[in-house]
Amino acid sequence: MAVAHASIGGARVALSPPLAALRDAALVALVAMALAGPIVGLQTLDRGGQLTVDLRFTEVAIGIVLVFFGRLGLALGERGLPVPAYGIGAALIAAGFLLPWPAGLLQVLSVAAGVALVLRGVAGQVGAHRAAMARAPTDEDDARAERLRRLFTKGLGALLLVAALLLPLMPFANSYILDTAIRVLTYMMLAWGLNIVIGLAGLLDLGYVAFYAVGAYTYALLSKDHGFGFWGALPIAGLLAASFGVLLGFPVLRLRGDYLAIVTLGFGEIIRIVLLNWTSFSGGPNGIGSIPRLTFFGHPFVRNAPEGVVPFHQLMGIEFSPLHRSIFFFYLILVLALIVNVFTIRIRRLPVGRAWEALREDEIACRALGINPTNTKLTAFAIGAMFAGFAGSFFATTQSFVSPESFTFLESAMILAIVVLGGMGSQLGVALAAILVIGLTEAFRGLAEYRMLVFGLGMVLIMVWRPRGLLAHRDPTVLLHGRKGVTR
């Protein structure tokens, strides 16, 4: 049981666990009051052209009380007092359902904090019990655990694939659900591409959205000004994005860690600012509109097509529905994402993939083994950028409009968050994180301006619960002497 100390008259006095927990909770509540008071308590509103200040001190006070009791329950659990922690958790859940709340967000936070306290207490007790019963794992235990992990991964992956294939056929699959699923798959494809750079090669890239923009503008310009179709422009967009990846790779070959992150962040901003100011080329802040939409091999998804063109529903002999286009786009991005996934899994076993993993673990050892770090980094940047270019082309044809506002740093941060939350190097973890991250933002859309607050809280909880990601897996793909020789 942890014992805290307080300084009284220059002498350190040991505090009992409940007093130490109360002190921690009070300090955290003070910090919350200092932060939330001016940010949430004072909100400017435009009433009839006059700027006024709306006071929300009641909501702030209730929020600080929630923070106090949440931290108190957490501190009591950490100090070996699970029963009071469970009591506080249950009280928060009951208060969330029974008491009247001035804002729906506070009610959600109360219930979420109570559930988190109970779950954390149960998980801590189960972990302590397992630690007490634990024995030194044998090689057979390791092999069994590895088999179970692989079985779980394959089973979950197959389940997700079947669910994705059947989604458009479900009776509840309306336009909103399909558009959200398309958005999830687009981010999943982007995150799988970034996973090559960060998860496999260990290169921190904060400007990944720049390659996404290159692909989108390439398709927009080729299709609108030069009459290219989607399938003709797709490889060109990928190759051009890969070329930009090589251009970015050359100046940063000698950089690592934070320095590399700063340079890539600057590269992403340079691309966005160039697109914003080069009006004659990119349309500037107005962007490029009326981009031709993708058709089904020349058959558009419209009710009435121009003379001589057969629309999709007449070709199939079915009644026209606006869902046909969404279903086609859904399966198209699903196929593109699966191609990226299969390509990444296969290339990990090739020499270049093993070189990425070796570079991630120790660049000096790579040089000693004769691996060329320059070529290794460039291939990672180029292939990751190529997948972003493909995703950008798909984005341009589905939206029929591109502008620099679609490629801000927030997009890079979102893709990076998906990779980190899923577990760097884990394909399945990235897929789960994409569903969770995009799903959370859509599920809490009703909370308006507080949506990103809840989203950030969810990310913090995941990082506390799983600091290495949902499905962290950084073991080398290919081992020289089997798994026995690997230090975990």
Side-chain angles (χ1 to χ4, degrees):
M1 183 179 296
V3 177
H5 295 78
S7 178
I8 300 177
R12 290 174 61 82
V13 179
L15 294 178
S16 62
L19 287 179
L22 281 171
R23 188 191 62 174
D24 284 356
L27 289 175
V28 172
L30 283 175
V31 172
M33 183 171 63
L35 293 175
I39 297 175
V40 181
L42 303 174
Q43 187 170 14
T44 56
L45 294 176
D46 186 2
R47 289 194 174 96
Q50 186 176 4
L51 192 65
T52 61
V53 178
D54 188 16
L55 303 180
R56 297 185 175 183
F57 289 135
T58 303
E59 289 86 345
V60 171
I62 295 175
I64 292 170
V65 171
L66 288 178
V67 170
F68 174 81
F69 282 105
R71 177 56 192 168
L72 180 62
L74 191 63
L76 288 172
E78 290 174 348
R79 287 167 172 77
L81 298 171
V83 175
Y86 284 137
I88 293 175
L92 288 174
I93 296 174
F97 286 108
L98 299 179
L99 296 181
W101 295 86
L105 175 64
L106 293 173
Q107 185 179 14
V108 172
L109 287 178
S110 178
V111 175
V115 171
L117 280 177
V118 173
L119 291 178
R120 184 178 174 84
V122 172
Q125 287 192 307
V126 171
H129 177 71
R130 285 182 177 176
M133 302 296 294
R135 57 181 174 80
T138 63
D139 292 341
E140 186 178 351
D141 294 333
D142 289 343
R144 187 184 302 117
E146 180 62 21
R147 285 198 299 272
L148 287 175
R149 187 191 68 78
R150 290 180 181 276
L151 185 63
F152 172 76
T153 302
K154 290 181 179 178
L156 186 57
L159 184 64
L160 288 177
L161 179 59
V162 171
L165 290 173
L166 295 179
L167 177 63
L169 307 179
M170 296 292 107
F172 55 83
N174 53 28
S175 178
Y176 172 74
I177 289 179
L178 287 177
D179 289 345
T180 304
I182 290 171
R183 191 161 169 254
V184 168
L185 288 172
T186 305
Y187 275 96
M188 195 182 294
M189 182 175 172
L190 286 167
W192 275 336
L194 185 61
N195 200 25
I196 292 175
V197 183
I198 295 180
L200 299 185
L203 304 170
L204 184 54
D205 185 355
L206 295 182
Y208 190 67
V209 74
F211 309 121
Y212 187 37
V214 169
Y217 273 86
T218 301
Y219 173 74
L221 293 171
L222 287 179
S223 62
K224 191 171 181 183
D225 297 342
H226 302 283
F228 274 69
F230 177 77
W231 299 110
L234 185 69
I236 299 176
L239 288 175
L240 198 58
S243 303
F244 272 83
V246 174
L247 285 177
L248 171 65
F250 267 116
V252 302
L253 290 176
R254 297 180 181 276
L255 301 178
R256 303 177 191 173
D258 301 340
Y259 303 102
L260 176 62
I262 292 171
V263 172
T264 54
L265 173 62
F267 178 78
E269 284 301 294
I270 288 171
I271 294 291
R272 187 182 68 84
I273 291 172
V274 167
L275 292 175
L276 195 62
N277 291 282
W278 195 355
T279 308
S280 61
F281 173 74
S282 63
N286 296 325
I288 300 175
S290 302
I291 300 171
R293 285 182 178 271
L294 181 61
T295 61
F296 183 77
F297 301 104
H299 302 281
F301 296 92
V302 293
R303 186 185 297 274
N304 300 313
E307 188 176 354
V309 178
V310 179
F312 174 77
H313 65 283
Q314 289 185 6
L315 176 70
M316 294 295 174
I318 55 179
E319 189 177 351
F320 172 77
S321 170
L323 281 180
H324 291 159
R325 174 182 289 154
S326 298
I327 293 174
F328 178 65
F329 283 160
F330 173 82
Y331 281 120
L332 175 61
I333 188 61
L334 178 62
V335 170
L336 289 176
L338 288 177
I339 290 174
V340 172
N341 183 36
V342 172
F343 179 89
T344 306
I345 292 174
R346 299 302 301 172
I347 202 171
R348 287 177 71 161
R349 294 182 173 275
L350 297 179
V352 64
R354 283 178 277 169
W356 290 340
E357 293 180 336
L359 182 72
R360 177 190 66 191
E361 300 300 329
D362 194 331
E363 184 172 340
I364 297 175
C366 278
R367 293 178 184 272
L369 290 172
I371 297 174
N372 188 333
T374 302
N375 294 338
T376 306
K377 288 181 181 179
L378 288 180
T379 52
F381 270 115
I383 293 177
M386 179 179 68
F387 292 146
F390 292 158
S393 291
F394 178 80
F395 172 79
T397 191
T398 53
Q399 299 298 317
S400 191
F401 173 77
V402 293
S403 76
E405 295 304 314
S406 302
F407 309 103
T408 60
F409 171 71
L410 185 61
E411 296 296 314
S412 283
M414 186 75 81
I415 302 166
L416 178 63
I418 291 172
V419 175
V420 174
L421 288 178
M424 290 187 288
S426 170
Q427 294 293 97
L428 182 59
V430 167
L432 291 175
I435 297 171
L436 192 63
V437 169
I438 306 302
L440 270 181
T441 55
E442 290 298 324
F444 292 108
R445 185 174 287 278
L447 297 177
E449 67 267 28
Y450 299 112
R451 181 173 57 140
M452 295 309 292
L453 181 65
V454 176
F455 171 69
L457 180 63
M459 291 179 64
V460 170
L461 291 177
I462 291 175
M463 283 291 97
V464 171
W465 176 49
R466 302 284 293 178
R468 295 185 61 187
L470 293 174
L471 291 177
H473 180 61
R474 286 180 61 116
D475 287 348
T477 305
V478 179
L479 303 174
L480 185 60
H481 298 295
R483 193 156 298 278
K484 183 178 177 181
V486 177
T487 302
R488 293 166 186 263

